[in-house]
Amino acid sequence: MPIAYVLINCDLGHEEEIINELMKIPEVKEVRGVYGVYDIFLKVEADNPEKIREVITNKVRKMERVRATNTLMVIEGQGGK
């Protein structure tokens, strides 16, 4: 199953609001607030890479107060666990 990890920068003080909205997206399997350069980490799983792209482009990136994302697509067959 295709997987992507997304790192999100958002407006200061709106992390919880965004996390709550992200959790409503069925393809989002994990959401965490994080310290460091990024504010939120999420894991997206879907049946195909096109669906992952659609979720990130049309749902995650278009959310209010999301300023930037960095997407890491998993190479299937490399690594695990």
Side-chain angles (χ1 to χ4, degrees):
M1 176 171 284
I3 298 171
Y5 296 102
V6 183
L7 303 168
I8 298 174
N9 285 119
C10 63
D11 287 345
L12 183 64
H14 293 276
E15 297 83 1
E16 285 287 333
E17 169 189 335
I18 293 169
I19 287 168
N20 290 333
E21 288 301 309
L22 289 167
M23 289 191 302
K24 295 177 185 176
I25 301 170
E27 294 82 7
V28 172
K29 303 303 179 188
E30 183 177 354
V31 184
R32 304 284 179 177
V34 295
Y35 294 114
V37 175
Y38 296 96
D39 303 307
I40 300 170
F41 165 91
L42 68 124
K43 179 181 179 180
V44 181
E45 289 183 20
D47 293 333
N48 57 66
E50 292 78 22
K51 181 64 178 175
I52 289 179
R53 185 182 45 171
E54 186 268 326
V55 167
I56 294 167
T57 302
N58 296 322
K59 295 182 181 177
V60 176
R61 291 180 54 88
K62 290 187 178 180
M63 292 179 74
E64 267 192 65
R65 311 239 184 245
V66 168
R67 294 294 159 229
T69 62
N70 188 1
T71 301
L72 307 164
M73 287 293 296
V74 170
I75 300 171
E76 292 186 52
Q78 285 189 359
K81 192 170 181 178

